[in-house]
Amino acid sequence: MFALRDLLDSRLGYQQYRDTRTWQHRIHVMDTRWQEQLPMILDSYMRWKDDHTPPSPTADLPSNSNTHGADIDAEGDAVMSEYDFQIDCIDFEQFRTSVTIRRCPHESPAVALINNGFPAATPVRPTIAVSLKTLELFYDIRRVKASFSVEAFTKLIPFRRRFRKAISDTFDVYLLLMDQVHRKVQEALGRDAPNWRVRHACPACSYKVEGETPATYERMIVMDGNNSLKCVATGARKVGDTRKFTKVVERFTGEVKRRPQPHVEVPPEHNPDDSAGDPTDGAPDSSCTSNWKAVAADDKKRMWAIFEETGIFAAACRHGFIVWLIDMVRSGELAKYPLAITSRVIEVIREAIMLGFDIGCTFKITLKNSSLGPAFEALGGRVCVNAFHGYSHSYPCQLHNHLNGIVGMGLEDLETLERVFSASNQLASVTRYASAYRRGMLIHAYFRQWDEDKYANQGLFLYNNYAQALDILKTKKPVLNESMALLDLTLEKLKEFERKEVHYFDNLRDEAPWDLHAIAYVEALQELGATSKFLTSAPPEYTWLSPNSGPTDYYGDASATVRLEGRRRELDERVTRLTSQVIAMEVQMNITVRWRPGDKEYEETARYIDTRRYQQALGRLQRLVIQRLFELHRLNVAQTAYRMRTQIAKSLQKRSKAIRTAVKQLNSAGAAIGRPPVDFDAVTHYGFLEEFTLLQDTRNDIRSKPWAQPLIRETMRTARRLKRAEEEIVNVNREARRVHTSIVDEDALFSDVLNELRSHGDIRFGVVYNYIRRRRMINAFNLAHLRRLYALDGFTGEPTPGTHAGPPREQPLPAMPASPPGNNIVPESQPSTATIKDLARLEESALEDNDANEDVLVDEDEDGAVTDLAEHMSNIAVVM
């Protein structure tokens, strides 16, 4: 065989063709040709979408040709022209394996395919196509089930690798097409201004109404990072798909420098952000900082060497709308990411913002010291910690930064991104090994759908928040009144107690240097005394043995004597060393007479040492309980992998044993100072955490202060909770009217836009009409929930729409040229559209029938975990 090949090569000049193009070059050429044809493909798709209307015939076609360029024979049958072609296809609607495509002379194969409802897998010479109906089916499935992969979809038919690749490539084109269609729709609605989505996508945040009650904070935005949407790096392999979907954030890389930390050796190319600091590096060290910093910093650096994108850093408003997304590239949550978000807030939103961040207490110092500090402060912005994450912060920090104590926050927990990430974890399985461009497209499509879902549930969100606030006022107000009467308290006294509590913890300082020196001095004296006593007299537990009159083990006795003599010399040296240390301390502390047991200074310091041991045992127990709390919470998070759940379960078992040991140590240390023993069951309960800070300060014993009494503290907590509930009523009253006004104004805009597009025969009419029809149904659903909110017993807001305040939300409709005669692709009549009020009545009736005897399901917090926890753990004192 090889001899024959060599003979042919040498005599006949035969050479086998070898394709020298790289995969990167192929993708680049393919993308360039797609971009060239995209405008024509987009127009053809919009025509196809609008009742599958084919393009108009051109003047150079023969008279016996139809609109697709196919000749008609004498019997009326279509005849294949030289431009027509047959192609293999994947069609879930008609189950065809091939299709004949009619093509005009001026059309490319890709445009001809889209005219017939079959996007091409390649732009120039396609060999297989996937029907638009099939891609729409896959797209709709992906919108509700992000983890549904191309391979799983391909298995709905007899699986072939060729089919999987065709669907994958065609779906990329389809996503790009959907993005362009979305742009066309927003352009037709006047919503294509820069940053329009950030400013106006959430009407509850942005659509202000004349005469409304001013908000303390115009918007509440939460930001956080998540490492689920990682993407594996290619390593030394060449990258084929070099297209970029996002830009790397580098503007604030040098704002904060990383503090020195223990680390492992990682190649420089795998750790480009090693000098960049995290959000806490720009602020002084604190217990909150040490709690937030990852324990396994070395593991993170190893992770950076494996993954190119290590996750996303996101920002969202309190209603769940995604504001910004940033890719974290080969790094953890560096300071440049929240600083970039804050910069965009200052530049785009330009209003008083409440920024929620899990390490907000130290990030606000980092922000203040950065170049953005003056501008953010001028806007009246503020940074706080989220509700659940705030419980891992020290109690003094919580008094200033926790949501429960901030006026104007209502019942908001700012844990929105925990719910976002819990849902977006489904996307991780299909993006982990994707190219950077494809990963970006999938993430973009997922969060666009997320925003649509949040808008669809905005009325339900407001209804649930209002109902929750009314329930708190109804159930807790009588309890508060009864407690205040029983304890002879007033609201003014409770406020005074809160001020005293804040003042006490603000002025609480660390141990004085003299106390630390005194502790070291007394401990050295105690060790010196015990060692000297051992040398001068035998301990009482020693037993003297009578001489042995029997056989003697000379070598054994000699070895024992050597060990004892070595022990004596060691103790003698220790006495000498301890004596030198004691003398040095006495000189430094200016002590002229050595303290002895029974002296006042000695006894006071000894008691302080006992209480200090109690504090240390309490701190160890506290950290274990908090770690157990967060692991229990993580165990219940949706989409937690089996391996992670198993690891957490094992960790909980070990943690329980460690907690039991820590309880024994605490009780042992407490017995020395007369503290009652602590029960293990009480330690593992949430309510026990509140006592930690009160128990910590054993020197001043603040349990005797009025605001530290359990009944008074419970009353203070209830009063604070009621205050937040009243603020939530005011906030939802304002937001509900904004949403109602937005729905009414938007419906009027839709009618104007449709009439304008129809009168000019605009090609965008079909896709805009489909968007508006769906949007009106969603608006009706929201309006139905708003009407249910208005009907609540205790509603105090305005149940009617208002007048929008400020500049128009949409840009004026541009002047459109008249459609040329015979080229109006829009049908003369569309199905009659019911008014928004009629649709809302239908939705309201459906809700009443569906939920006649049961409560409406909560959308944002289905199991009530965060809300119940926030209520049950309010004012938890945690000092790590």
PDB file of all heavy atoms in Angstrom, residues 98-128:
ATOM      1  N   SER A  98     -34.291  15.842   5.715  1.00  0.00           N
ATOM      2  CA  SER A  98     -33.721  16.704   4.686  1.00  0.00           C
ATOM      3  C   SER A  98     -34.814  17.647   4.202  1.00  0.00           C
ATOM      4  O   SER A  98     -36.007  17.377   4.360  1.00  0.00           O
ATOM      5  CB  SER A  98     -33.166  15.887   3.512  1.00  0.00           C
ATOM      6  OG  SER A  98     -34.209  15.182   2.865  1.00  0.00           O
ATOM      7  N   VAL A  99     -34.389  18.743   3.598  1.00  0.00           N
ATOM      8  CA  VAL A  99     -35.339  19.745   3.138  1.00  0.00           C
ATOM      9  C   VAL A  99     -34.770  20.417   1.893  1.00  0.00           C
ATOM     10  O   VAL A  99     -33.556  20.565   1.742  1.00  0.00           O
ATOM     11  CB  VAL A  99     -35.603  20.801   4.238  1.00  0.00           C
ATOM     12  CG1 VAL A  99     -34.342  21.567   4.583  1.00  0.00           C
ATOM     13  CG2 VAL A  99     -36.717  21.764   3.823  1.00  0.00           C
ATOM     14  N   THR A 100     -35.683  20.766   0.976  1.00  0.00           N
ATOM     15  CA  THR A 100     -35.292  21.472  -0.242  1.00  0.00           C
ATOM     16  C   THR A 100     -35.451  22.968  -0.013  1.00  0.00           C
ATOM     17  O   THR A 100     -36.516  23.436   0.396  1.00  0.00           O
ATOM     18  CB  THR A 100     -36.155  21.031  -1.423  1.00  0.00           C
ATOM     19  OG1 THR A 100     -35.978  19.622  -1.630  1.00  0.00           O
ATOM     20  CG2 THR A 100     -35.768  21.791  -2.679  1.00  0.00           C
ATOM     21  N   ILE A 101     -34.409  23.719  -0.270  1.00  0.00           N
ATOM     22  CA  ILE A 101     -34.392  25.158  -0.013  1.00  0.00           C
ATOM     23  C   ILE A 101     -34.470  25.892  -1.344  1.00  0.00           C
ATOM     24  O   ILE A 101     -33.664  25.675  -2.256  1.00  0.00           O
ATOM     25  CB  ILE A 101     -33.108  25.560   0.733  1.00  0.00           C
ATOM     26  CG1 ILE A 101     -33.005  24.803   2.048  1.00  0.00           C
ATOM     27  CG2 ILE A 101     -33.068  27.062   0.986  1.00  0.00           C
ATOM     28  CD1 ILE A 101     -34.150  25.038   3.007  1.00  0.00           C
ATOM     29  N   ARG A 102     -35.496  26.729  -1.476  1.00  0.00           N
ATOM     30  CA  ARG A 102     -35.637  27.580  -2.648  1.00  0.00           C
ATOM     31  C   ARG A 102     -34.844  28.852  -2.430  1.00  0.00           C
ATOM     32  O   ARG A 102     -34.942  29.480  -1.380  1.00  0.00           O
ATOM     33  CB  ARG A 102     -37.110  27.916  -2.887  1.00  0.00           C
ATOM     34  CG  ARG A 102     -38.026  26.715  -2.948  1.00  0.00           C
ATOM     35  CD  ARG A 102     -37.729  25.835  -4.140  1.00  0.00           C
ATOM     36  NE  ARG A 102     -38.656  24.699  -4.222  1.00  0.00           N
ATOM     37  CZ  ARG A 102     -38.590  23.777  -5.148  1.00  0.00           C
ATOM     38  NH1 ARG A 102     -37.644  23.849  -6.084  1.00  0.00           N
ATOM     39  NH2 ARG A 102     -39.447  22.767  -5.157  1.00  0.00           N
ATOM     40  N   ARG A 103     -34.083  29.234  -3.429  1.00  0.00           N
ATOM     41  CA  ARG A 103     -33.181  30.362  -3.239  1.00  0.00           C
ATOM     42  C   ARG A 103     -33.241  31.302  -4.431  1.00  0.00           C
ATOM     43  O   ARG A 103     -33.265  30.866  -5.590  1.00  0.00           O
ATOM     44  CB  ARG A 103     -31.750  29.856  -3.052  1.00  0.00           C
ATOM     45  CG  ARG A 103     -30.723  30.951  -2.757  1.00  0.00           C
ATOM     46  CD  ARG A 103     -29.458  30.360  -2.141  1.00  0.00           C
ATOM     47  NE  ARG A 103     -28.724  29.547  -3.075  1.00  0.00           N
ATOM     48  CZ  ARG A 103     -27.603  29.919  -3.702  1.00  0.00           C
ATOM     49  NH1 ARG A 103     -27.125  31.133  -3.497  1.00  0.00           N
ATOM     50  NH2 ARG A 103     -26.983  29.112  -4.518  1.00  0.00           N
ATOM     51  N   CYS A 104     -33.248  32.595  -4.122  1.00  0.00           N
ATOM     52  CA  CYS A 104     -33.164  33.617  -5.164  1.00  0.00           C
ATOM     53  C   CYS A 104     -31.706  33.796  -5.593  1.00  0.00           C
ATOM     54  O   CYS A 104     -30.795  33.479  -4.831  1.00  0.00           O
ATOM     55  CB  CYS A 104     -33.715  34.948  -4.655  1.00  0.00           C
ATOM     56  SG  CYS A 104     -35.464  34.872  -4.191  1.00  0.00           S
ATOM     57  N   PRO A 105     -31.492  34.302  -6.794  1.00  0.00           N
ATOM     58  CA  PRO A 105     -30.105  34.451  -7.265  1.00  0.00           C
ATOM     59  C   PRO A 105     -29.259  35.352  -6.377  1.00  0.00           C
ATOM     60  O   PRO A 105     -28.046  35.166  -6.261  1.00  0.00           O
ATOM     61  CB  PRO A 105     -30.275  35.046  -8.671  1.00  0.00           C
ATOM     62  CG  PRO A 105     -31.647  34.653  -9.087  1.00  0.00           C
ATOM     63  CD  PRO A 105     -32.474  34.644  -7.843  1.00  0.00           C
ATOM     64  N   HIS A 106     -29.899  36.357  -5.750  1.00  0.00           N
ATOM     65  CA  HIS A 106     -29.120  37.319  -4.967  1.00  0.00           C
ATOM     66  C   HIS A 106     -28.920  36.873  -3.529  1.00  0.00           C
ATOM     67  O   HIS A 106     -28.283  37.580  -2.750  1.00  0.00           O
ATOM     68  CB  HIS A 106     -29.825  38.682  -4.984  1.00  0.00           C
ATOM     69  CG  HIS A 106     -31.151  38.657  -4.273  1.00  0.00           C
ATOM     70  ND1 HIS A 106     -32.280  38.094  -4.858  1.00  0.00           N
ATOM     71  CD2 HIS A 106     -31.508  39.102  -3.049  1.00  0.00           C
ATOM     72  CE1 HIS A 106     -33.292  38.212  -4.011  1.00  0.00           C
ATOM     73  NE2 HIS A 106     -32.848  38.803  -2.919  1.00  0.00           N
ATOM     74  N   GLU A 107     -29.453  35.729  -3.131  1.00  0.00           N
ATOM     75  CA  GLU A 107     -29.386  35.291  -1.743  1.00  0.00           C
ATOM     76  C   GLU A 107     -28.194  34.360  -1.499  1.00  0.00           C
ATOM     77  O   GLU A 107     -27.858  33.528  -2.344  1.00  0.00           O
ATOM     78  CB  GLU A 107     -30.662  34.558  -1.346  1.00  0.00           C
ATOM     79  CG  GLU A 107     -31.884  35.446  -1.199  1.00  0.00           C
ATOM     80  CD  GLU A 107     -33.098  34.637  -0.804  1.00  0.00           C
ATOM     81  OE1 GLU A 107     -33.103  33.395  -1.030  1.00  0.00           O
ATOM     82  OE2 GLU A 107     -34.046  35.228  -0.265  1.00  0.00           O
ATOM     83  N   SER A 108     -27.612  34.499  -0.326  1.00  0.00           N
ATOM     84  CA  SER A 108     -26.599  33.542   0.101  1.00  0.00           C
ATOM     85  C   SER A 108     -27.322  32.322   0.671  1.00  0.00           C
ATOM     86  O   SER A 108     -28.500  32.392   1.051  1.00  0.00           O
ATOM     87  CB  SER A 108     -25.689  34.162   1.163  1.00  0.00           C
ATOM     88  OG  SER A 108     -26.431  34.409   2.355  1.00  0.00           O
ATOM     89  N   PRO A 109     -26.644  31.190   0.765  1.00  0.00           N
ATOM     90  CA  PRO A 109     -27.293  30.002   1.339  1.00  0.00           C
ATOM     91  C   PRO A 109     -27.791  30.231   2.771  1.00  0.00           C
ATOM     92  O   PRO A 109     -28.856  29.732   3.144  1.00  0.00           O
ATOM     93  CB  PRO A 109     -26.179  28.952   1.288  1.00  0.00           C
ATOM     94  CG  PRO A 109     -25.288  29.387   0.179  1.00  0.00           C
ATOM     95  CD  PRO A 109     -25.312  30.872   0.204  1.00  0.00           C
ATOM     96  N   ALA A 110     -27.040  30.972   3.555  1.00  0.00           N
ATOM     97  CA  ALA A 110     -27.457  31.203   4.945  1.00  0.00           C
ATOM     98  C   ALA A 110     -28.742  32.006   5.005  1.00  0.00           C
ATOM     99  O   ALA A 110     -29.639  31.719   5.813  1.00  0.00           O
ATOM    100  CB  ALA A 110     -26.344  31.916   5.707  1.00  0.00           C
ATOM    101  N   VAL A 111     -28.866  33.035   4.147  1.00  0.00           N
ATOM    102  CA  VAL A 111     -30.091  33.840   4.122  1.00  0.00           C
ATOM    103  C   VAL A 111     -31.257  33.028   3.581  1.00  0.00           C
ATOM    104  O   VAL A 111     -32.376  33.103   4.091  1.00  0.00           O
ATOM    105  CB  VAL A 111     -29.872  35.116   3.288  1.00  0.00           C
ATOM    106  CG1 VAL A 111     -31.177  35.890   3.140  1.00  0.00           C
ATOM    107  CG2 VAL A 111     -28.792  35.994   3.925  1.00  0.00           C
ATOM    108  N   ALA A 112     -31.011  32.234   2.561  1.00  0.00           N
ATOM    109  CA  ALA A 112     -32.078  31.391   2.008  1.00  0.00           C
ATOM    110  C   ALA A 112     -32.570  30.389   3.046  1.00  0.00           C
ATOM    111  O   ALA A 112     -33.768  30.120   3.151  1.00  0.00           O
ATOM    112  CB  ALA A 112     -31.571  30.667   0.765  1.00  0.00           C
ATOM    113  N   LEU A 113     -31.678  29.847   3.819  1.00  0.00           N
ATOM    114  CA  LEU A 113     -32.073  28.894   4.861  1.00  0.00           C
ATOM    115  C   LEU A 113     -32.939  29.559   5.915  1.00  0.00           C
ATOM    116  O   LEU A 113     -33.967  29.006   6.339  1.00  0.00           O
ATOM    117  CB  LEU A 113     -30.823  28.289   5.506  1.00  0.00           C
ATOM    118  CG  LEU A 113     -30.143  27.145   4.746  1.00  0.00           C
ATOM    119  CD1 LEU A 113     -28.761  26.857   5.317  1.00  0.00           C
ATOM    120  CD2 LEU A 113     -31.012  25.889   4.792  1.00  0.00           C
ATOM    121  N   ILE A 114     -32.557  30.753   6.360  1.00  0.00           N
ATOM    122  CA  ILE A 114     -33.345  31.434   7.389  1.00  0.00           C
ATOM    123  C   ILE A 114     -34.706  31.844   6.852  1.00  0.00           C
ATOM    124  O   ILE A 114     -35.702  31.879   7.577  1.00  0.00           O
ATOM    125  CB  ILE A 114     -32.565  32.638   7.946  1.00  0.00           C
ATOM    126  CG1 ILE A 114     -33.075  32.996   9.358  1.00  0.00           C
ATOM    127  CG2 ILE A 114     -32.684  33.847   7.068  1.00  0.00           C
ATOM    128  CD1 ILE A 114     -32.644  32.043  10.417  1.00  0.00           C
ATOM    129  N   ASN A 115     -34.789  32.149   5.536  1.00  0.00           N
ATOM    130  CA  ASN A 115     -36.087  32.455   4.928  1.00  0.00           C
ATOM    131  C   ASN A 115     -37.033  31.266   4.988  1.00  0.00           C
ATOM    132  O   ASN A 115     -38.250  31.420   5.065  1.00  0.00           O
ATOM    133  CB  ASN A 115     -35.900  32.869   3.469  1.00  0.00           C
ATOM    134  CG  ASN A 115     -35.410  34.303   3.344  1.00  0.00           C
ATOM    135  OD1 ASN A 115     -35.660  35.140   4.215  1.00  0.00           O
ATOM    136  ND2 ASN A 115     -34.687  34.588   2.273  1.00  0.00           N
ATOM    137  N   ASN A 116     -36.462  30.079   4.967  1.00  0.00           N
ATOM    138  CA  ASN A 116     -37.262  28.864   5.027  1.00  0.00           C
ATOM    139  C   ASN A 116     -37.355  28.279   6.438  1.00  0.00           C
ATOM    140  O   ASN A 116     -37.828  27.167   6.628  1.00  0.00           O
ATOM    141  CB  ASN A 116     -36.665  27.810   4.095  1.00  0.00           C
ATOM    142  CG  ASN A 116     -36.869  28.156   2.627  1.00  0.00           C
ATOM    143  OD1 ASN A 116     -37.848  27.751   1.995  1.00  0.00           O
ATOM    144  ND2 ASN A 116     -35.931  28.937   2.080  1.00  0.00           N
ATOM    145  N   GLY A 117     -36.861  29.042   7.439  1.00  0.00           N
ATOM    146  CA  GLY A 117     -36.976  28.594   8.819  1.00  0.00           C
ATOM    147  C   GLY A 117     -35.896  27.639   9.254  1.00  0.00           C
ATOM    148  O   GLY A 117     -36.111  26.869  10.206  1.00  0.00           O
ATOM    149  N   PHE A 118     -34.719  27.689   8.627  1.00  0.00           N
ATOM    150  CA  PHE A 118     -33.622  26.786   8.971  1.00  0.00           C
ATOM    151  C   PHE A 118     -32.315  27.571   9.047  1.00  0.00           C
ATOM    152  O   PHE A 118     -31.670  27.795   8.017  1.00  0.00           O
ATOM    153  CB  PHE A 118     -33.484  25.665   7.927  1.00  0.00           C
ATOM    154  CG  PHE A 118     -34.551  24.634   7.995  1.00  0.00           C
ATOM    155  CD1 PHE A 118     -35.731  24.798   7.295  1.00  0.00           C
ATOM    156  CD2 PHE A 118     -34.383  23.495   8.766  1.00  0.00           C
ATOM    157  CE1 PHE A 118     -36.732  23.848   7.357  1.00  0.00           C
ATOM    158  CE2 PHE A 118     -35.369  22.544   8.829  1.00  0.00           C
ATOM    159  CZ  PHE A 118     -36.554  22.708   8.130  1.00  0.00           C
ATOM    160  N   PRO A 119     -31.891  27.994  10.237  1.00  0.00           N
ATOM    161  CA  PRO A 119     -30.578  28.646  10.347  1.00  0.00           C
ATOM    162  C   PRO A 119     -29.459  27.681   9.976  1.00  0.00           C
ATOM    163  O   PRO A 119     -29.533  26.482  10.265  1.00  0.00           O
ATOM    164  CB  PRO A 119     -30.492  29.034  11.826  1.00  0.00           C
ATOM    165  CG  PRO A 119     -31.890  29.013  12.316  1.00  0.00           C
ATOM    166  CD  PRO A 119     -32.607  27.980  11.517  1.00  0.00           C
ATOM    167  N   ALA A 120     -28.450  28.186   9.349  1.00  0.00           N
ATOM    168  CA  ALA A 120     -27.319  27.359   8.932  1.00  0.00           C
ATOM    169  C   ALA A 120     -26.332  27.201  10.071  1.00  0.00           C
ATOM    170  O   ALA A 120     -26.222  28.056  10.954  1.00  0.00           O
ATOM    171  CB  ALA A 120     -26.633  27.993   7.726  1.00  0.00           C
ATOM    172  N   ALA A 121     -25.607  26.083  10.052  1.00  0.00           N
ATOM    173  CA  ALA A 121     -24.570  25.856  11.048  1.00  0.00           C
ATOM    174  C   ALA A 121     -23.281  26.561  10.675  1.00  0.00           C
ATOM    175  O   ALA A 121     -22.467  26.878  11.542  1.00  0.00           O
ATOM    176  CB  ALA A 121     -24.309  24.359  11.219  1.00  0.00           C
ATOM    177  N   THR A 122     -23.076  26.826   9.386  1.00  0.00           N
ATOM    178  CA  THR A 122     -21.906  27.551   8.900  1.00  0.00           C
ATOM    179  C   THR A 122     -22.373  28.624   7.932  1.00  0.00           C
ATOM    180  O   THR A 122     -23.424  28.477   7.285  1.00  0.00           O
ATOM    181  CB  THR A 122     -20.916  26.608   8.180  1.00  0.00           C
ATOM    182  OG1 THR A 122     -21.599  25.918   7.125  1.00  0.00           O
ATOM    183  CG2 THR A 122     -20.343  25.598   9.157  1.00  0.00           C
ATOM    184  N   PRO A 123     -21.620  29.708   7.772  1.00  0.00           N
ATOM    185  CA  PRO A 123     -22.126  30.841   6.981  1.00  0.00           C
ATOM    186  C   PRO A 123     -21.996  30.699   5.474  1.00  0.00           C
ATOM    187  O   PRO A 123     -22.718  31.373   4.736  1.00  0.00           O
ATOM    188  CB  PRO A 123     -21.269  32.010   7.489  1.00  0.00           C
ATOM    189  CG  PRO A 123     -19.994  31.378   7.928  1.00  0.00           C
ATOM    190  CD  PRO A 123     -20.350  30.029   8.455  1.00  0.00           C
ATOM    191  N   VAL A 124     -21.093  29.844   4.958  1.00  0.00           N
ATOM    192  CA  VAL A 124     -20.817  29.843   3.516  1.00  0.00           C
ATOM    193  C   VAL A 124     -21.371  28.593   2.849  1.00  0.00           C
ATOM    194  O   VAL A 124     -22.259  28.673   1.988  1.00  0.00           O
ATOM    195  CB  VAL A 124     -19.300  29.962   3.262  1.00  0.00           C
ATOM    196  CG1 VAL A 124     -19.024  29.955   1.764  1.00  0.00           C
ATOM    197  CG2 VAL A 124     -18.762  31.239   3.893  1.00  0.00           C
ATOM    198  N   ARG A 125     -20.890  27.428   3.177  1.00  0.00           N
ATOM    199  CA  ARG A 125     -21.321  26.188   2.536  1.00  0.00           C
ATOM    200  C   ARG A 125     -21.902  25.240   3.580  1.00  0.00           C
ATOM    201  O   ARG A 125     -21.238  24.273   3.988  1.00  0.00           O
ATOM    202  CB  ARG A 125     -20.150  25.543   1.795  1.00  0.00           C
ATOM    203  CG  ARG A 125     -19.701  26.299   0.557  1.00  0.00           C
ATOM    204  CD  ARG A 125     -18.633  25.528  -0.205  1.00  0.00           C
ATOM    205  NE  ARG A 125     -17.394  25.473   0.548  1.00  0.00           N
ATOM    206  CZ  ARG A 125     -16.443  26.395   0.485  1.00  0.00           C
ATOM    207  NH1 ARG A 125     -16.604  27.452  -0.301  1.00  0.00           N
ATOM    208  NH2 ARG A 125     -15.337  26.269   1.191  1.00  0.00           N
ATOM    209  N   PRO A 126     -23.100  25.495   4.028  1.00  0.00           N
ATOM    210  CA  PRO A 126     -23.684  24.641   5.071  1.00  0.00           C
ATOM    211  C   PRO A 126     -24.025  23.254   4.535  1.00  0.00           C
ATOM    212  O   PRO A 126     -24.450  23.102   3.379  1.00  0.00           O
ATOM    213  CB  PRO A 126     -24.942  25.403   5.482  1.00  0.00           C
ATOM    214  CG  PRO A 126     -25.296  26.241   4.292  1.00  0.00           C
ATOM    215  CD  PRO A 126     -23.999  26.603   3.648  1.00  0.00           C
ATOM    216  N   THR A 127     -23.829  22.257   5.361  1.00  0.00           N
ATOM    217  CA  THR A 127     -24.179  20.875   5.003  1.00  0.00           C
ATOM    218  C   THR A 127     -25.291  20.314   5.874  1.00  0.00           C
ATOM    219  O   THR A 127     -25.814  19.247   5.582  1.00  0.00           O
ATOM    220  CB  THR A 127     -22.950  19.968   5.131  1.00  0.00           C
ATOM    221  OG1 THR A 127     -22.462  20.020   6.472  1.00  0.00           O
ATOM    222  CG2 THR A 127     -21.852  20.419   4.170  1.00  0.00           C
ATOM    223  N   ILE A 128     -25.667  21.039   6.926  1.00  0.00           N
ATOM    224  CA  ILE A 128     -26.740  20.611   7.807  1.00  0.00           C
ATOM    225  C   ILE A 128     -27.342  21.855   8.437  1.00  0.00           C
ATOM    226  O   ILE A 128     -26.655  22.855   8.650  1.00  0.00           O
ATOM    227  CB  ILE A 128     -26.233  19.626   8.888  1.00  0.00           C
ATOM    228  CG1 ILE A 128     -27.412  19.026   9.671  1.00  0.00           C
ATOM    229  CG2 ILE A 128     -25.238  20.295   9.819  1.00  0.00           C
ATOM    230  CD1 ILE A 128     -27.011  17.890  10.600  1.00  0.00           C
TER     231      ILE A 128
END
